[in-house]
Amino acid sequence: VQGGREDITGTRIPVSAIVIWYKAGKEIYEIMDMYPQLTPAQIHDALSYYYDHEKDMEEEIALIQDESVWQKQYPPAKGTVCK
């Protein structure tokens, strides 16, 4: 667990990162290209974890993708224009 998020054992890669890419249409081999330190088994294990904990994982993914949450945590510097 890293920052309250489940990660892949022995790495700092959150399970949610793998799930987000997979749900975006990436194939296992494409995810492996992005994370060459992972094995196919680790990626499948991450997806298995997602399906076993789908409700909690979907809540985490929704928070990750909610721009307003990020803006509260990391507000733009004064005078900065965000588009």
Side-chain angles (χ1 to χ4, degrees):
V1 179
Q2 177 185 331
R5 298 183 300 174
E6 296 295 327
D7 62 3
I8 297 171
T9 303
T11 73
R12 295 181 148 247
I13 301 169
V15 170
S16 55
I18 302 304
V19 173
I20 289 168
W21 284 117
Y22 187 75
K23 289 176 71 174
K26 298 291 183 187
E27 299 287 338
I28 300 299
Y29 70 89
E30 293 174 304
I31 297 171
M32 287 177 60
D33 286 343
M34 291 185 282
Y35 301 98
Q37 67 273 40
L38 297 181
T39 65
Q42 287 174 305
I43 295 171
H44 285 284
D45 286 346
L47 295 173
S48 177
Y49 182 88
Y50 164 74
Y51 288 116
D52 286 345
H53 303 90
E54 193 167 354
K55 181 178 180 268
D56 293 334
M57 292 297 303
E58 283 297 328
E59 289 173 4
E60 179 181 322
I61 290 167
L63 282 174
I64 290 168
Q65 294 177 334
D66 186 348
E67 186 177 327
S68 67
V69 171
W70 288 103
Q71 287 182 355
K72 287 177 188 171
Q73 284 186 318
Y74 306 101
K78 289 186 177 185
T80 303
V81 178
C82 294
K83 295 182 182 183

